[in-house]
Amino acid sequence: MASLQIRNLIKDYGSFKAIRDVSLEVPSGEFVVMVGPSGCGKSTLLRSIAGLESITSGEISIDGRDISKVEPFDRGVAMVFQNYALYPHMTVRQNMGFALKIGGASKVDVEKAVQRAAGILRIENQLDKKPKSLSGGQKQRVAIGRAITRSPDVFLFDEPLSNLDAALRSQMRVELGRLHAELGATMVYVTHDQTEAMTMASRIVVLRDGIIEQVGAPLELYNFPATRFVAGFLGSPRMNFIKATVHTIDNDHLHLEAAGLAGRLRVPLLHADNALDGMQSGTDVIVGVRPEGFVDGDVEGYRDWRIEGQVAVVESLGRDTLLYLNGGGIKAFDSESHEGYLAIHRTRQLQAVHGQQLQVAIDPGAAYVFDASGKTCVFPLAPNHLLAGAA
Amino acid sequence: MGSRFRWVQVLLYGFVSLWSLFVLLPTAWMVIGAFKTKREFFLDPLGMPASFDFDAFERAWGTGVGGFLLNSMFVTALSVLVIVVVSAMAAYVLARTDNRWMRLVYLVIVAGFAVPVQAVIIPLFQMVSGAGMLNSLFAIVLPYAAYGIPFTIILFYAFFLDFPRELEEAALLDGCRPVKTFFHIVLPLMGPAVASAAIFQAVFIWNEFLLALLMLTKPAVKTLTVGILQLGGEFTSDWAAIMAGLSIAVLPILTVFILAQKYFVRSLAGLGK
Amino acid sequence: MSDTSLAKPVTGPDASTWILLTPALGLVILFIVIPALLAIAGSFFTIGIGSTNWQFAGLANYTRALNDPIFWLALRNNLIMVVGSIVLQVGFGTVLAAILDRGLPRGSTLFRTIIFAPMVMSTIAVALIWLVIMDPNVGALNTLVKALGMQPPTQGWLGDPDIALWVILVIAMWQYTGFMMVLILAGLQGIPRELYEAAALDGARGLKAFRHITLPGIRNVLIVAVLITTIGGFKVFDLIFATTRGGPANATQVLGTYIYQQAFNLGNMGYANAISVVLLLIAVLLGWLQLQVSRRS
């Protein structure tokens, strides 16, 4: 168990800047998930910690010891690879004990460590098999077991679940959570899957273009995304983004006009702070509404923000229903559907069919407002959108 | 549909069988000929021998075919060993290092693949004879290795490019420096690639003729390809002995091929890829 | 997806890099690169049998080749070998491969092994077997031809300048068609079965499927097969040396045997070098083409 510090890390590939000045503090025992789209630098960052990449400048230290010039195997880190990277010609036992054997440990010690790791992962009866005869989930357990055997200061995970099917993935998420609780170890986990980040992390680090966009606990980031990028990245389906213009600002509300919306959207200014500086009538902004931030169109008091649309796609999830609505004049941009459908989440069963007319209304109390640069200016009455969704 | 299908199938089997017969008959005729008497050869070239004895093999062996066989085995084994070891080392470095020099080295080696021995045989012979390397079984291994290396490097290079980088990275994190990684992780997994390259080169070196013809002129050092050429001169009309000598030259490599054809074919497929 | 393709470990290359490279590189340079350069250099000199005495001759060796009818005959014979081998070996190889790939419910491995086997036999041995088979006294071929009521050639199969080269083409076909078949078969087996199933659902079967799925699928392999055969046709030496030595009356003379004759029988090393350079240029050009095509697939 150890803490990890990264200070002013920079990594260039020629003229391409993979990581531009990243600093991060990971306290001992924390499960940090680094998340971001392809090419954001998360894998490079992880591999730099492992020593598989040389860094251009900066410092990486574990418990205060600078390891950025240390050979990979002397850093006290163990890594779990996306493709498992199990040695095909060795049995599970040999795979798990390899590092200790190379390090010169006695046979008894190696066996003891392997047995302990196998016990934690419940793979005692697989020890004499070759990786070829294991299923994907078993391979991943062995790969994790190989890391545990070494009792490293820091565990590194590089998208370890992305080769598994959906059912196994959610099972392994629970497993990894249990493992973290059991070992109490410091873990750094890289993924592009926001669900993994939300469910497992003590803290999430959102990366974008080689820069840390925001760091925080999962719900903190979900409820108070600092930027439109973070808001769009966490949460599934994505937040709906609608273009709007400032009409007026008064003490309590921001009044916005959006094409296709009958009335002006009256967004309460509870968490606005000073972010509205420089905003005036006519400034372009972006309104963000999570799929659960809508109410039924005929609810008293919300009629002004009614959207009359046609149901394009219905996804019944059992208790919940996801609707993709063709909002006519109201179009979501930068969304999951190219057509600009609005994603709407209802926490009940709906018997909607394709083409059916449907009225919903934006709940202004659940709306985010982002300025042109992507910074969040107005947060909703968090976590009020959960209540709004139930309406 | 059903009967037409059957007729097509008969036709296809017929064609393939005919071709197989075309291939098999001369080979079978060679082996059978080794058991015939001179008289049987003249009277009935297509006939079978009256009895099967190995006299002709003994006569052929007596004129040195046994020695040729040993020489071929020695030269082939040593050359293949050198080719595989040297090519594996070089290909590993080439596949794992990316800079201008390595690209140049790879280019030189690939260009070597395109150069036929026939086209450079004169200076090659002059160099080899100038260095006093004629009539030495050890010396001929060097040019044999040189001409086997380019294709083997190309094969191994492709193998290393496909080799999962993550395995080497895992080994690095597990405490292996590059040389240890090569011996603990990479080499044990090279088995099939090595087998493919080795059998392929073995066949070519076993059958090589031109260099052997020029470099190995003393009877004691001749390999089979050169040795059997003089059989016709030794036995003016002892056809059975000639056939026995040819059988001794052909059957070992044929056996090796049949046992290891999986690897041989894989190596060939590398030519098309 | 991830950035691993750009990866480079901290423990990079060092002096050991060159230690690992040197044996291979040294052998290739010593026995391939330097002789090739010497051949090119030597082609501008007159070199005697003793070969210590080099006299600069300018382009004389090349003009001599241009005016040497046997050089042109040899080149023409190489071209006949090339075209004939492509037609026979690649042609029959493709047919056999197509049959083995999808035509036979069982037995294709056995047929493949048999048909490919001559490829691993020494060409010298193959030539000698065929020499005996074509022997007028004890050979099986004449007996067979006579049994079929035909007359074998009076000067022998390889003694008649009009047919000798064609007979050699048949022997080459006997030895190498299996090689082409296996090469093309590998290409055919690389075509996913689902493509044929999809095409069948789209109504393309039989020849239509061959035209739209098979041919495009093995296009590159076919080009490589043709190139390999072409290179082989220019490099041919063992087979002709062991059967006719280029005769009768140069009817089967090719560049390889002519180089040998000029250099080692007549002692014209400089002139032989000039012919070697022609062969070298052809081979390197074709080899380069082969790698280009291979790389694309």
Side-chain angles (χ1 to χ4, degrees), chain A residues 4-313:
Chain A
L4 172 75
Q5 303 84 35
I6 298 171
R7 264 188 283 279
N8 303 104
L9 184 71
I10 292 176
K11 170 70 185 172
D12 302 336
Y13 294 106
S15 61
F16 174 69
K17 298 191 182 329
I19 300 173
R20 353 172 160 213
D21 200 2
V22 162
S23 295
L24 184 67
E25 228 15 84
V26 182
S28 181
E30 196 174 66
F31 195 130
V32 169
V33 176
M34 301 199 285
V35 71
S38 297
C40 69
K42 57 189 188 297
S43 272
T44 309
L45 188 52
L46 191 78
R47 294 167 55 82
S48 301
I49 300 170
L52 299 173
E53 305 275 348
S54 58
I55 60 177
T56 308
S57 69
E59 192 187 301
I60 303 169
S61 32
I62 291 179
D63 272 348
R65 178 174 78 113
D66 182 2
I67 56 159
S68 40
K69 301 277 183 306
V70 174
E71 294 281 0
F73 41 83
D74 289 331
R75 294 188 174 200
V77 301
M79 183 150 158
V80 177
F81 292 85
Q82 181 176 1
N83 303 320
Y84 324 126
L86 299 178
Y87 310 124
H89 57 299
M90 299 182 193
T91 61
V92 168
R93 184 191 309 274
Q94 290 166 328
N95 260 288
M96 289 170 61
F98 184 66
L100 295 185
K101 190 186 133 198
I102 287 288
S106 75
K107 271 198 179 136
V108 181
D109 289 347
V110 173
E111 183 59 24
K112 219 186 280 171
V114 169
Q115 287 296 348
R116 175 180 153 262
I120 293 173
L121 289 162
R122 301 177 192 122
I123 48 172
E124 295 99 325
N125 49 1
Q126 320 277 352
L127 284 178
D128 293 313
K129 289 185 184 165
K130 288 269 179 74
K132 203 169 54 183
S133 60
L134 299 178
S135 69
Q138 289 170 329
K139 281 183 194 163
Q140 199 49 273
R141 273 165 206 272
V142 175
I144 295 166
R146 189 167 63 179
I148 294 175
T149 316
R150 297 185 48 195
S151 10
D153 295 331
V154 178
F155 283 82
L156 305 175
F157 295 89
D158 189 6
E159 308 210 17
L161 305 188
S162 56
N163 282 357
L164 304 177
D165 63 49
L168 253 177
R169 215 177 311 165
S170 57
Q171 188 190 329
M172 284 303 286
R173 283 205 305 261
V174 178
E175 187 91 346
L176 280 168
R178 174 183 72 86
L179 202 68
H180 178 243
E182 206 169 316
L183 297 172
T186 312
M187 296 184 170
V188 182
Y189 186 107
V190 156
T191 180
H192 64 273
D193 180 350
Q194 60 94 25
T195 315
E196 284 174 26
M198 290 295 291
T199 50
M200 291 190 292
S202 332
R203 273 197 310 159
I204 295 178
V205 178
V206 180
L207 280 161
R208 178 197 189 187
D209 295 336
I211 297 175
I212 292 183
E213 189 88 358
Q214 195 177 1
V215 182
L219 283 181
E220 186 186 338
L221 261 55
Y222 186 84
N223 292 331
F224 300 103
T227 61
R228 187 165 79 79
F229 178 81
V230 176
F233 199 84
L234 298 178
S236 175
R238 276 167 77 83
M239 184 183 278
N240 299 289
F241 296 116
I242 300 161
K243 286 183 178 147
T245 327
V246 174
H247 180 261
T248 43
I249 310 174
D250 59 33
N251 283 337
D252 308 322
H253 293 94
L254 188 59
H255 300 264
L256 302 173
E257 284 178 326
L261 211 59
R264 287 186 197 112
L265 201 60
R266 205 151 46 89
V267 182
L269 292 175
L270 273 172
H271 293 272
D273 303 332
N274 306 322
L276 294 181
D277 292 353
M279 262 193 200
Q280 54 190 13
S281 176
T283 306
D284 284 332
V285 294
I286 290 156
V287 176
V289 187
R290 292 214 182 267
E292 52 270 38
F294 293 88
V295 295
D296 288 345
D298 51 2
V299 173
E300 197 61 44
Y302 290 91
R303 293 216 173 96
D304 280 353
W305 311 303
R306 197 168 51 199
I307 298 169
E308 300 211 18
Q310 262 187 338
V311 174
V313 181

Side-chain angles (χ1 to χ4, degrees), chain C residues 34-67:
Chain C
I34 290 179
L37 296 177
L38 281 177
I40 295 169
S43 69
F44 298 104
F45 288 84
T46 305
I47 307 166
I49 293 188
S51 74
T52 43
N53 182 20
W54 286 38
Q55 274 183 324
F56 187 69
L59 290 172
N61 289 323
Y62 289 98
T63 49
R64 178 173 170 188
L66 291 178
N67 295 313

Side-chain angles (χ1 to χ4, degrees), chain C residues 105-134:
Chain C
R106 59 183 58 224
S108 42
T109 311
L110 178 68
F111 284 122
R112 192 191 68 187
T113 307
I114 293 173
I115 295 174
F116 183 78
M119 165 75 185
V120 304
M121 292 162 65
S122 132
T123 302
I124 301 299
V126 168
L128 294 177
I129 295 169
W130 281 91
L131 275 183
V132 182
I133 289 174
M134 294 185 296

